[in-house]
Amino acid sequence: MRQLIERDLAVNWHPYSQMKLSHPIPIIKGEGAYLFAEDGQKYLDMVSSWWVSIHGHANPTIAKAVFNQLNTLEQVIFAGFTHEPAILLSERLLNLLPSNQQKVFYSDNGSTAVEVALKMCLQLGHNLGRPKNKILAFKEGYHGDTFGAMSVSERGHWTAPFSDKLFDVIFIDPPTSLNLEQTKELIREHAAETACLIYEPLIQGAGGMLMHSAEDLSELMAFCRSLGILLIQDEVFVGFGRTGTLFAADQLSVAPDVMCFSKGLTGGTMAMGITTCTDEIYQAFYSDEKQKALFHGHSFTASPIGCAAALASLEILLSADCQQQLDSIHKKHLAFLGKLMLHPKIQQPRLMGTVLAFEYHTAERDGYFHSAQEFLYQEFLKRNIIMRPLGNTIYLVPPYCIKEEELEYVYDIILEVLDC
């Protein structure tokens, strides 16, 4: 294993890692909720490998679909050409989304799905001769690492080197019954120049699994719509079952104008991003003037293999067995939440769908760079559990295939680590 680590460090640069301090673990196999290391260790993947492997690893249904597609059509340019897997995926996905979602634009990850959404909303005004140049976004939000996505995400140490290259954004608090009226006043001041509001619905993932209510968000969405502000709903993390419904949109009384998807889209098998929109937005680009087209694309746009994987993942997600698993995970989390509430080192325990989160309380200020992060990560790793605390925020985002006894083991280990 040491040789593999040395070889890796000689050639690879890992994401969100201080490489001088990093010691990557060589993984040689995945199966179900587990990852198997080169040294024989077996790890329970409680972060679904960065929130993407919703059905666990090496799912045979998805693997078979990918294999069959590889033997039929592996790739074709999506500008001027099309293929059945992309048509079928768009049809099936749109059938599950709010009825106002009518068109699908393919890209290759969550950040690019957001970039496409922002470009749609900004260019729409340009195409109609009514340009708007301001964007609203939630504080503590995260939408990706490309420049547009960084611009609408919370500013901090990770964006500081690029601060003068990011466009201006008006940041507002996620909605609560206490701040809604004040937030509405701020939005009203800038409404005439504001193209869109972008937000993570119900759970702000990378911001620390922060949660807000469907009722408050729906009220904010309705207010923005009344002022002609387009709504971009970033479901990259929360989509495909994480909030307890297929999509966070299913819990809201207002439908967004644009939606973004990635992560669980292909069941964690390969990169793919999707941006959906209303027909009204599409019509602003549908023109005899070529200059009004949406000039955006990626080499692997609508990858036939990715579409095949996504179709198979959807099939699993919609099955009665998987839906029962989602309900079971939520109920198990809920029971454990009762124990957490009694623990003196725990603050703000919270739960939505399959996402359980809480703060590990110390005298140090909460935050992404909290010193407890490394301690917690290593303590769980020693016990063969992969968890990546967001600073001092511990969270569970298990694959849907996880077994009851595996969850019980994780709960026991959490309580053990808390008492270290």
Side-chain angles (χ1 to χ4, degrees):
M1 182 177 72
R2 176 54 52 188
Q3 185 185 21
L4 281 179
I5 293 174
E6 290 172 355
R7 287 168 57 193
D8 177 89
L9 293 177
V11 294
N12 289 329
W13 192 344
H14 293 260
Y16 279 91
S17 301
Q18 174 46 263
M19 294 306 297
K20 190 173 183 180
L21 307 175
S22 291
H23 300 91
I25 298 171
I27 298 297
I28 60 171
K29 178 185 174 182
E31 184 178 343
Y34 290 94
L35 290 167
F36 297 82
E38 194 270 347
D39 66 353
Q41 292 293 317
K42 173 182 172 183
Y43 296 98
L44 192 53
D45 185 0
M46 287 304 294
V47 296
S48 297
S49 285
W50 236 340
W51 319 341
V52 301
S53 300
I54 59 174
H55 304 302
H57 299 281
N59 183 279
T61 299
I62 300 176
K64 182 179 179 181
V66 169
F67 176 80
N68 290 339
Q69 187 60 49
L70 272 169
N71 284 280
T72 305
L73 174 67
E74 83 298 343
Q75 175 62 9
V76 61
I77 182 175
F78 208 59
F81 296 87
T82 192
H83 52 82
E84 188 174 23
I87 297 168
L88 192 54
L89 177 57
S90 296
E91 289 172 342
R92 290 187 179 173
L93 183 59
L94 290 175
N95 192 49
L96 298 171
L97 297 179
S99 60
N100 69 337
Q101 299 298 293
Q102 294 290 312
K103 297 294 180 181
V104 172
F105 194 99
Y106 286 92
S107 60
D108 58 12
N109 62 69
S111 293
T112 56
V114 167
E115 295 285 338
V116 170
L118 293 171
K119 290 173 77 171
M120 282 179 177
C121 292
L122 290 170
Q123 189 177 336
L124 178 142
H126 176 83
N127 284 3
L128 297 179
R130 301 192 298 270
K132 298 180 179 181
N133 59 11
K134 289 189 176 180
I135 293 173
L136 294 167
F138 285 174
K139 296 175 183 177
E140 306 294 338
Y142 174 80
H143 300 282
D145 296 327
T146 49
F147 271 83
M150 277 197 298
S151 293
V152 294
S153 299
E154 178 72 17
R155 308 295 171 87
H157 293 285
W158 43 89
T159 60
F162 322 107
S163 58
D164 63 332
K165 302 294 187 293
L166 305 180
F167 48 75
D168 289 335
V169 173
I170 300 168
F171 289 100
I172 60 175
D173 291 312
T176 70
S177 58
L178 299 177
N179 68 25
L180 261 171
E181 292 309 313
Q182 183 178 1
T183 299
K184 287 178 182 178
E185 285 303 312
L186 175 62
I187 293 173
R188 189 179 283 111
E189 289 176 24
H190 300 281
E193 304 166 280
T194 300
C196 57
L197 163 68
I198 184 169
Y199 54 93
E200 298 163 271
L202 307 186
I203 306 176
Q204 293 180 281
M209 299 298 163
L210 307 174
M211 301 179 185
H212 50 269
S213 78
E215 293 75 18
D216 291 334
L217 179 57
S218 294
E219 184 175 342
L220 180 65
M221 292 167 68
F223 178 76
C224 287
R225 172 152 295 152
S226 72
L227 297 175
I229 297 170
L230 295 171
L231 304 168
I232 300 176
Q233 188 151 304
D234 179 353
E235 295 225 14
V236 168
F237 167 53
V238 298
F240 304 102
R242 279 293 172 207
T243 63
T245 50
L246 278 179
F247 303 101
D250 298 329
Q251 300 179 47
L252 302 171
S253 60
V254 179
D257 300 287
V258 183
M259 299 182 73
C260 304
F261 305 95
S262 188
K263 291 204 180 289
L265 174 59
T266 65
T269 54
M270 59 193 67
M272 175 171 275
I274 278 179
T275 307
T276 65
C277 70
T278 64
D279 188 60
E280 288 78 8
I281 290 177
Y282 177 75
Q283 290 300 325
F285 295 79
Y286 192 78
S287 171
D288 292 326
E289 301 175 52
K290 288 187 176 181
Q291 295 85 349
K292 289 188 175 181
L294 179 60
F295 290 104
H296 191 103
H298 299 267
S299 300
F300 291 94
T301 291
S303 157
I305 306 168
C307 290
L311 284 164
S313 180
L314 266 182
E315 179 185 342
I316 298 167
L317 179 64
L318 295 171
S319 70
D321 285 347
C322 187
Q323 290 301 303
Q324 186 177 354
Q325 271 291 100
L326 292 176
D327 184 58
S328 176
I329 292 169
H330 176 77
K331 287 176 178 175
K332 294 292 292 182
H333 281 351
L334 187 60
F336 181 56
L337 195 65
K339 295 181 181 179
L340 285 177
M341 287 179 173
L342 301 175
H343 201 286
K345 291 185 181 178
I346 294 304
Q347 287 189 341
Q348 296 179 278
R350 51 201 181 273
L351 169 65
M352 186 174 294
T354 66
V355 181
L356 174 65
F358 53 91
E359 265 64 64
Y360 174 78
H361 179 61
T362 70
E364 188 177 336
R365 182 180 178 182
D366 295 348
Y368 185 85
F369 293 99
H370 196 288
S371 61
Q373 191 277 337
E374 184 62 19
F375 160 75
L376 293 168
Y377 174 70
Q378 292 298 335
E379 288 299 316
F380 287 118
L381 209 57
K382 288 176 190 175
R383 295 160 174 82
N384 296 92
I385 298 173
I386 298 175
M387 297 229 276
R388 283 179 59 89
L390 295 160
N392 62 316
T393 300
I394 299 173
Y395 68 90
L396 283 66
V397 182
Y400 302 154
C401 64
I402 195 164
K403 298 184 172 98
E404 184 173 317
E405 58 268 26
E406 293 164 345
L407 273 177
E408 289 291 350
Y409 172 73
V410 172
Y411 298 152
D412 289 343
I413 291 301
I414 287 173
L415 294 176
E416 180 181 312
V417 169
L418 290 176
D419 290 331
C420 285

Short mmCIF file of all heavy atoms in Angstrom, two decimals, residues 125-177:
data_model
loop_
_atom_site.label_atom_id
_atom_site.label_comp_id
_atom_site.label_asym_id
_atom_site.label_seq_id
_atom_site.Cartn_x
_atom_site.Cartn_y
_atom_site.Cartn_z
N GLY A 125 -32.80 37.79 -20.60
CA GLY A 125 -33.05 39.23 -20.61
C GLY A 125 -32.38 39.91 -21.80
O GLY A 125 -32.95 40.82 -22.42
N HIS A 126 -31.17 39.47 -22.12
CA HIS A 126 -30.45 40.02 -23.28
C HIS A 126 -31.21 39.74 -24.57
O HIS A 126 -31.38 40.63 -25.41
CB HIS A 126 -29.05 39.40 -23.34
CG HIS A 126 -28.25 39.81 -24.53
ND1 HIS A 126 -27.54 40.99 -24.58
CD2 HIS A 126 -28.05 39.20 -25.73
CE1 HIS A 126 -26.94 41.09 -25.74
NE2 HIS A 126 -27.22 40.02 -26.46
N ASN A 127 -31.68 38.50 -24.73
CA ASN A 127 -32.40 38.13 -25.96
C ASN A 127 -33.70 38.91 -26.11
O ASN A 127 -34.13 39.23 -27.23
CB ASN A 127 -32.71 36.64 -25.96
CG ASN A 127 -31.50 35.79 -26.29
OD1 ASN A 127 -30.40 36.30 -26.48
ND2 ASN A 127 -31.70 34.48 -26.36
N LEU A 128 -34.34 39.22 -24.99
CA LEU A 128 -35.62 39.94 -25.03
C LEU A 128 -35.46 41.45 -25.04
O LEU A 128 -36.44 42.18 -25.10
CB LEU A 128 -36.47 39.52 -23.83
CG LEU A 128 -36.90 38.05 -23.75
CD1 LEU A 128 -37.71 37.79 -22.49
CD2 LEU A 128 -37.70 37.65 -25.00
N GLY A 129 -34.21 41.91 -24.96
CA GLY A 129 -33.97 43.35 -24.95
C GLY A 129 -34.25 43.99 -23.61
O GLY A 129 -34.43 45.21 -23.53
N ARG A 130 -34.32 43.16 -22.55
CA ARG A 130 -34.57 43.69 -21.20
C ARG A 130 -33.52 43.10 -20.25
O ARG A 130 -33.84 42.32 -19.34
CB ARG A 130 -35.97 43.30 -20.73
CG ARG A 130 -37.09 43.81 -21.63
CD ARG A 130 -38.46 43.64 -20.96
NE ARG A 130 -38.78 42.24 -20.69
CZ ARG A 130 -39.41 41.44 -21.53
NH1 ARG A 130 -39.78 41.89 -22.73
NH2 ARG A 130 -39.70 40.19 -21.19
N PRO A 131 -32.26 43.46 -20.45
CA PRO A 131 -31.19 42.83 -19.65
C PRO A 131 -31.28 43.18 -18.17
O PRO A 131 -31.61 44.32 -17.80
CB PRO A 131 -29.91 43.40 -20.27
CG PRO A 131 -30.32 44.67 -20.94
CD PRO A 131 -31.73 44.44 -21.41
N LYS A 132 -30.99 42.18 -17.34
CA LYS A 132 -30.89 42.35 -15.89
C LYS A 132 -29.56 41.75 -15.46
O LYS A 132 -29.19 40.68 -15.93
CB LYS A 132 -32.04 41.65 -15.17
CG LYS A 132 -33.43 42.19 -15.52
CD LYS A 132 -34.50 41.43 -14.74
CE LYS A 132 -35.89 41.95 -15.04
NZ LYS A 132 -36.93 41.22 -14.26
N ASN A 133 -28.86 42.43 -14.58
CA ASN A 133 -27.50 41.98 -14.28
C ASN A 133 -27.26 41.60 -12.82
O ASN A 133 -26.12 41.31 -12.44
CB ASN A 133 -26.48 43.06 -14.69
CG ASN A 133 -26.71 44.38 -13.99
OD1 ASN A 133 -27.50 44.46 -13.05
ND2 ASN A 133 -26.03 45.42 -14.44
N LYS A 134 -28.31 41.57 -12.01
CA LYS A 134 -28.11 41.20 -10.61
C LYS A 134 -28.68 39.82 -10.33
O LYS A 134 -29.65 39.38 -10.94
CB LYS A 134 -28.74 42.24 -9.68
CG LYS A 134 -27.99 43.57 -9.66
CD LYS A 134 -28.49 44.50 -8.59
CE LYS A 134 -27.63 45.78 -8.55
NZ LYS A 134 -28.09 46.72 -7.51
N ILE A 135 -28.04 39.13 -9.37
CA ILE A 135 -28.44 37.79 -8.99
C ILE A 135 -28.57 37.73 -7.47
O ILE A 135 -27.74 38.30 -6.75
CB ILE A 135 -27.42 36.75 -9.49
CG1 ILE A 135 -27.44 36.69 -11.01
CG2 ILE A 135 -27.70 35.36 -8.90
CD1 ILE A 135 -26.36 35.83 -11.60
N LEU A 136 -29.58 37.05 -6.99
CA LEU A 136 -29.77 36.79 -5.57
C LEU A 136 -29.31 35.38 -5.25
O LEU A 136 -29.53 34.45 -6.03
CB LEU A 136 -31.24 36.93 -5.19
CG LEU A 136 -31.89 38.30 -5.30
CD1 LEU A 136 -33.41 38.16 -5.19
CD2 LEU A 136 -31.38 39.24 -4.22
N ALA A 137 -28.68 35.20 -4.09
CA ALA A 137 -28.26 33.87 -3.65
C ALA A 137 -28.28 33.83 -2.13
O ALA A 137 -28.20 34.86 -1.45
CB ALA A 137 -26.87 33.55 -4.17
N PHE A 138 -28.39 32.62 -1.59
CA PHE A 138 -28.42 32.46 -0.14
C PHE A 138 -27.03 32.55 0.47
O PHE A 138 -26.07 32.02 -0.10
CB PHE A 138 -29.01 31.10 0.23
CG PHE A 138 -30.50 30.99 0.07
CD1 PHE A 138 -31.13 29.77 0.26
CD2 PHE A 138 -31.28 32.09 -0.24
CE1 PHE A 138 -32.50 29.65 0.14
CE2 PHE A 138 -32.65 31.99 -0.39
CZ PHE A 138 -33.27 30.76 -0.19
N LYS A 139 -26.93 33.17 1.62
CA LYS A 139 -25.71 33.08 2.42
C LYS A 139 -25.49 31.61 2.80
O LYS A 139 -26.44 30.85 2.95
CB LYS A 139 -25.84 33.93 3.68
CG LYS A 139 -25.97 35.43 3.41
CD LYS A 139 -26.23 36.20 4.71
CE LYS A 139 -26.44 37.69 4.44
NZ LYS A 139 -26.77 38.44 5.68
N GLU A 140 -24.23 31.25 2.98
CA GLU A 140 -23.83 29.88 3.33
C GLU A 140 -24.11 28.88 2.22
O GLU A 140 -24.06 27.66 2.43
CB GLU A 140 -24.52 29.39 4.62
CG GLU A 140 -24.35 30.30 5.82
CD GLU A 140 -22.92 30.39 6.31
OE1 GLU A 140 -22.13 29.48 6.02
OE2 GLU A 140 -22.60 31.38 6.98
N GLY A 141 -24.41 29.37 1.02
CA GLY A 141 -24.71 28.47 -0.09
C GLY A 141 -23.46 27.93 -0.76
O GLY A 141 -22.37 28.48 -0.63
N TYR A 142 -23.64 26.84 -1.48
CA TYR A 142 -22.56 26.28 -2.31
C TYR A 142 -23.18 25.73 -3.58
O TYR A 142 -24.10 24.90 -3.53
CB TYR A 142 -21.81 25.17 -1.57
CG TYR A 142 -20.79 24.48 -2.46
CD1 TYR A 142 -19.55 25.07 -2.71
CD2 TYR A 142 -21.08 23.27 -3.08
CE1 TYR A 142 -18.63 24.47 -3.54
CE2 TYR A 142 -20.17 22.67 -3.92
CZ TYR A 142 -18.94 23.26 -4.15
OH TYR A 142 -18.04 22.66 -5.00
N HIS A 143 -22.63 26.17 -4.73
CA HIS A 143 -23.17 25.74 -6.02
C HIS A 143 -22.10 25.19 -6.96
O HIS A 143 -22.42 24.85 -8.10
CB HIS A 143 -23.92 26.89 -6.68
CG HIS A 143 -25.07 27.40 -5.87
ND1 HIS A 143 -26.28 26.74 -5.80
CD2 HIS A 143 -25.18 28.47 -5.04
CE1 HIS A 143 -27.10 27.40 -4.99
NE2 HIS A 143 -26.46 28.46 -4.52
N GLY A 144 -20.86 25.12 -6.51
CA GLY A 144 -19.82 24.55 -7.36
C GLY A 144 -18.57 25.40 -7.39
O GLY A 144 -18.48 26.44 -6.73
N ASP A 145 -17.61 24.96 -8.19
CA ASP A 145 -16.27 25.57 -8.17
C ASP A 145 -15.85 26.24 -9.47
O ASP A 145 -14.74 26.73 -9.58
CB ASP A 145 -15.23 24.50 -7.80
CG ASP A 145 -15.44 23.98 -6.39
OD1 ASP A 145 -15.87 24.77 -5.53
OD2 ASP A 145 -15.18 22.79 -6.15
N THR A 146 -16.72 26.24 -10.49
CA THR A 146 -16.44 27.06 -11.66
C THR A 146 -16.78 28.51 -11.31
O THR A 146 -17.41 28.79 -10.28
CB THR A 146 -17.25 26.56 -12.86
OG1 THR A 146 -18.62 26.40 -12.45
CG2 THR A 146 -16.73 25.21 -13.35
N PHE A 147 -16.39 29.46 -12.16
CA PHE A 147 -16.45 30.86 -11.74
C PHE A 147 -17.87 31.37 -11.50
O PHE A 147 -18.11 32.10 -10.53
CB PHE A 147 -15.70 31.74 -12.74
CG PHE A 147 -14.25 31.88 -12.40
CD1 PHE A 147 -13.33 30.91 -12.79
CD2 PHE A 147 -13.79 32.94 -11.65
CE1 PHE A 147 -11.99 31.01 -12.45
CE2 PHE A 147 -12.45 33.07 -11.31
CZ PHE A 147 -11.54 32.10 -11.71
N GLY A 148 -18.82 31.02 -12.35
CA GLY A 148 -20.19 31.44 -12.09
C GLY A 148 -20.73 30.81 -10.83
O GLY A 148 -21.36 31.47 -10.01
N ALA A 149 -20.47 29.51 -10.66
CA ALA A 149 -20.94 28.80 -9.47
C ALA A 149 -20.29 29.33 -8.21
O ALA A 149 -20.94 29.45 -7.16
CB ALA A 149 -20.67 27.30 -9.63
N MET A 150 -18.99 29.66 -8.28
CA MET A 150 -18.32 30.27 -7.12
C MET A 150 -18.94 31.63 -6.80
O MET A 150 -19.09 31.99 -5.62
CB MET A 150 -16.82 30.46 -7.40
CG MET A 150 -15.97 29.24 -7.17
SD MET A 150 -14.21 29.68 -7.05
CE MET A 150 -13.89 30.36 -8.68
N SER A 151 -19.28 32.38 -7.83
CA SER A 151 -19.81 33.72 -7.61
C SER A 151 -21.08 33.71 -6.79
O SER A 151 -21.33 34.61 -5.98
CB SER A 151 -20.07 34.41 -8.96
OG SER A 151 -18.87 34.67 -9.65
N VAL A 152 -21.92 32.69 -7.00
CA VAL A 152 -23.20 32.65 -6.29
C VAL A 152 -23.13 31.79 -5.03
O VAL A 152 -24.15 31.52 -4.38
CB VAL A 152 -24.33 32.14 -7.22
CG1 VAL A 152 -24.58 33.14 -8.34
CG2 VAL A 152 -24.03 30.76 -7.79
N SER A 153 -21.92 31.36 -4.66
CA SER A 153 -21.71 30.59 -3.44
C SER A 153 -21.15 31.49 -2.35
O SER A 153 -20.64 32.59 -2.62
CB SER A 153 -20.73 29.43 -3.71
OG SER A 153 -21.23 28.54 -4.68
N GLU A 154 -21.22 31.01 -1.11
CA GLU A 154 -20.67 31.74 0.02
C GLU A 154 -19.20 32.08 -0.22
O GLU A 154 -18.42 31.23 -0.67
CB GLU A 154 -20.80 30.91 1.30
CG GLU A 154 -20.22 31.56 2.54
CD GLU A 154 -21.02 32.74 3.05
OE1 GLU A 154 -22.21 32.88 2.66
OE2 GLU A 154 -20.47 33.53 3.84
N ARG A 155 -18.81 33.30 0.03
CA ARG A 155 -17.43 33.72 -0.14
C ARG A 155 -16.63 33.33 1.12
O ARG A 155 -17.14 33.41 2.24
CB ARG A 155 -17.33 35.22 -0.37
CG ARG A 155 -18.24 35.74 -1.50
CD ARG A 155 -17.87 35.22 -2.87
NE ARG A 155 -18.86 35.55 -3.88
CZ ARG A 155 -18.89 36.69 -4.57
NH1 ARG A 155 -17.97 37.61 -4.35
NH2 ARG A 155 -19.81 36.89 -5.49
N GLY A 156 -15.38 32.93 0.93
CA GLY A 156 -14.56 32.55 2.07
C GLY A 156 -13.14 32.27 1.62
O GLY A 156 -12.69 32.73 0.57
N HIS A 157 -12.42 31.47 2.43
CA HIS A 157 -11.03 31.18 2.13
C HIS A 157 -10.87 30.53 0.76
O HIS A 157 -9.88 30.78 0.05
CB HIS A 157 -10.45 30.25 3.21
CG HIS A 157 -10.33 30.88 4.56
ND1 HIS A 157 -9.34 31.79 4.86
CD2 HIS A 157 -11.09 30.76 5.68
CE1 HIS A 157 -9.48 32.19 6.11
NE2 HIS A 157 -10.53 31.59 6.64
N TRP A 158 -11.82 29.69 0.38
CA TRP A 158 -11.69 28.95 -0.88
C TRP A 158 -11.96 29.81 -2.11
O TRP A 158 -11.59 29.44 -3.21
CB TRP A 158 -12.61 27.72 -0.88
CG TRP A 158 -13.97 28.01 -0.33
CD1 TRP A 158 -15.06 28.43 -1.01
CD2 TRP A 158 -14.38 27.91 1.03
NE1 TRP A 158 -16.13 28.61 -0.17
CE2 TRP A 158 -15.74 28.29 1.10
CE3 TRP A 158 -13.72 27.52 2.21
CZ2 TRP A 158 -16.45 28.31 2.29
CZ3 TRP A 158 -14.45 27.55 3.39
CH2 TRP A 158 -15.79 27.94 3.44
N THR A 159 -12.61 30.96 -1.95
CA THR A 159 -12.84 31.85 -3.10
C THR A 159 -11.97 33.11 -3.04
O THR A 159 -11.94 33.87 -4.01
CB THR A 159 -14.32 32.28 -3.17
OG1 THR A 159 -14.68 32.97 -1.96
CG2 THR A 159 -15.23 31.07 -3.34
N ALA A 160 -11.26 33.33 -1.93
CA ALA A 160 -10.48 34.57 -1.74
C ALA A 160 -9.49 34.85 -2.87
O ALA A 160 -9.37 36.02 -3.30
CB ALA A 160 -9.75 34.51 -0.40
N PRO A 161 -8.77 33.85 -3.42
CA PRO A 161 -7.81 34.17 -4.48
C PRO A 161 -8.46 34.70 -5.75
O PRO A 161 -7.77 35.26 -6.61
CB PRO A 161 -7.14 32.81 -4.75
CG PRO A 161 -7.36 32.01 -3.52
CD PRO A 161 -8.69 32.45 -3.02
N PHE A 162 -9.78 34.52 -5.88
CA PHE A 162 -10.47 34.89 -7.13
C PHE A 162 -11.49 36.00 -6.91
O PHE A 162 -12.31 36.27 -7.79
CB PHE A 162 -11.18 33.66 -7.70
CG PHE A 162 -10.40 32.38 -7.55
CD1 PHE A 162 -10.78 31.42 -6.62
CD2 PHE A 162 -9.27 32.14 -8.31
CE1 PHE A 162 -10.06 30.25 -6.46
CE2 PHE A 162 -8.53 30.97 -8.16
CZ PHE A 162 -8.93 30.02 -7.23
N SER A 163 -11.45 36.63 -5.73
CA SER A 163 -12.53 37.54 -5.34
C SER A 163 -12.78 38.65 -6.35
O SER A 163 -13.93 39.02 -6.59
CB SER A 163 -12.25 38.14 -3.96
OG SER A 163 -11.01 38.83 -3.96
N ASP A 164 -11.73 39.17 -6.96
CA ASP A 164 -11.93 40.28 -7.91
C ASP A 164 -12.40 39.80 -9.28
O ASP A 164 -12.69 40.60 -10.16
CB ASP A 164 -10.63 41.08 -8.06
CG ASP A 164 -9.49 40.27 -8.64
OD1 ASP A 164 -9.48 39.04 -8.44
OD2 ASP A 164 -8.60 40.86 -9.28
N LYS A 165 -12.49 38.48 -9.46
CA LYS A 165 -12.96 37.93 -10.74
C LYS A 165 -14.39 37.43 -10.65
O LYS A 165 -14.98 37.00 -11.65
CB LYS A 165 -12.06 36.75 -11.16
CG LYS A 165 -10.59 37.09 -11.30
CD LYS A 165 -10.35 38.08 -12.45
CE LYS A 165 -8.88 38.29 -12.73
NZ LYS A 165 -8.17 38.99 -11.64
N LEU A 166 -14.98 37.45 -9.46
CA LEU A 166 -16.35 36.97 -9.27
C LEU A 166 -17.34 38.11 -9.46
O LEU A 166 -17.09 39.23 -9.03
CB LEU A 166 -16.51 36.36 -7.88
CG LEU A 166 -15.52 35.25 -7.51
CD1 LEU A 166 -15.79 34.75 -6.09
CD2 LEU A 166 -15.58 34.10 -8.51
N PHE A 167 -18.47 37.82 -10.12
CA PHE A 167 -19.43 38.90 -10.35
C PHE A 167 -20.24 39.21 -9.09
O PHE A 167 -20.32 38.41 -8.17
CB PHE A 167 -20.34 38.62 -11.54
CG PHE A 167 -20.98 37.26 -11.58
CD1 PHE A 167 -22.03 36.93 -10.75
CD2 PHE A 167 -20.53 36.32 -12.49
CE1 PHE A 167 -22.64 35.70 -10.81
CE2 PHE A 167 -21.14 35.07 -12.56
CZ PHE A 167 -22.18 34.75 -11.72
N ASP A 168 -20.81 40.40 -9.09
CA ASP A 168 -21.54 40.87 -7.91
C ASP A 168 -22.82 40.07 -7.70
O ASP A 168 -23.58 39.81 -8.65
CB ASP A 168 -21.90 42.36 -8.06
CG ASP A 168 -20.67 43.25 -7.96
OD1 ASP A 168 -19.71 42.82 -7.32
OD2 ASP A 168 -20.69 44.36 -8.51
N VAL A 169 -23.05 39.71 -6.47
CA VAL A 169 -24.23 38.94 -6.08
C VAL A 169 -24.80 39.55 -4.81
O VAL A 169 -24.04 39.97 -3.93
CB VAL A 169 -23.87 37.45 -5.85
CG1 VAL A 169 -25.06 36.69 -5.28
CG2 VAL A 169 -23.41 36.80 -7.15
N ILE A 170 -26.11 39.60 -4.72
CA ILE A 170 -26.77 40.05 -3.50
C ILE A 170 -27.07 38.81 -2.66
O ILE A 170 -27.88 37.96 -3.07
CB ILE A 170 -28.07 40.81 -3.81
CG1 ILE A 170 -27.78 42.03 -4.69
CG2 ILE A 170 -28.77 41.24 -2.52
CD1 ILE A 170 -29.01 42.67 -5.28
N PHE A 171 -26.43 38.68 -1.51
CA PHE A 171 -26.64 37.51 -0.66
C PHE A 171 -27.71 37.79 0.38
O PHE A 171 -27.68 38.83 1.05
CB PHE A 171 -25.32 37.11 0.02
CG PHE A 171 -24.33 36.51 -0.94
CD1 PHE A 171 -23.29 37.27 -1.46
CD2 PHE A 171 -24.44 35.19 -1.33
CE1 PHE A 171 -22.37 36.73 -2.34
CE2 PHE A 171 -23.53 34.63 -2.22
CZ PHE A 171 -22.49 35.39 -2.73
N ILE A 172 -28.63 36.86 0.49
CA ILE A 172 -29.72 37.00 1.46
C ILE A 172 -29.72 35.78 2.39
O ILE A 172 -29.17 34.73 2.05
CB ILE A 172 -31.10 37.12 0.77
CG1 ILE A 172 -31.38 35.87 -0.09
CG2 ILE A 172 -31.16 38.39 -0.07
CD1 ILE A 172 -32.76 35.86 -0.72
N ASP A 173 -30.33 35.94 3.55
CA ASP A 173 -30.43 34.83 4.49
C ASP A 173 -31.41 33.79 3.98
O ASP A 173 -32.45 34.15 3.40
CB ASP A 173 -30.90 35.32 5.86
CG ASP A 173 -29.85 36.17 6.56
OD1 ASP A 173 -28.68 35.75 6.60
OD2 ASP A 173 -30.22 37.26 7.05
N PRO A 174 -31.13 32.51 4.18
CA PRO A 174 -32.16 31.50 3.91
C PRO A 174 -33.42 31.85 4.68
O PRO A 174 -33.34 32.38 5.80
CB PRO A 174 -31.52 30.20 4.41
CG PRO A 174 -30.05 30.46 4.35
CD PRO A 174 -29.88 31.91 4.68
N PRO A 175 -34.59 31.59 4.13
CA PRO A 175 -35.82 32.11 4.72
C PRO A 175 -36.23 31.44 6.02
O PRO A 175 -36.13 30.23 6.19
CB PRO A 175 -36.86 31.82 3.63
CG PRO A 175 -36.32 30.62 2.91
CD PRO A 175 -34.83 30.80 2.90
N THR A 176 -36.66 32.27 6.96
CA THR A 176 -37.30 31.81 8.19
C THR A 176 -38.49 32.73 8.45
O THR A 176 -38.58 33.82 7.86
CB THR A 176 -36.34 31.87 9.40
OG1 THR A 176 -36.10 33.25 9.73
CG2 THR A 176 -35.02 31.17 9.12
N SER A 177 -39.35 32.31 9.34
CA SER A 177 -40.50 33.15 9.67
C SER A 177 -40.07 34.47 10.29
O SER A 177 -40.80 35.47 10.24
CB SER A 177 -41.44 32.41 10.62
OG SER A 177 -40.74 32.03 11.81
#
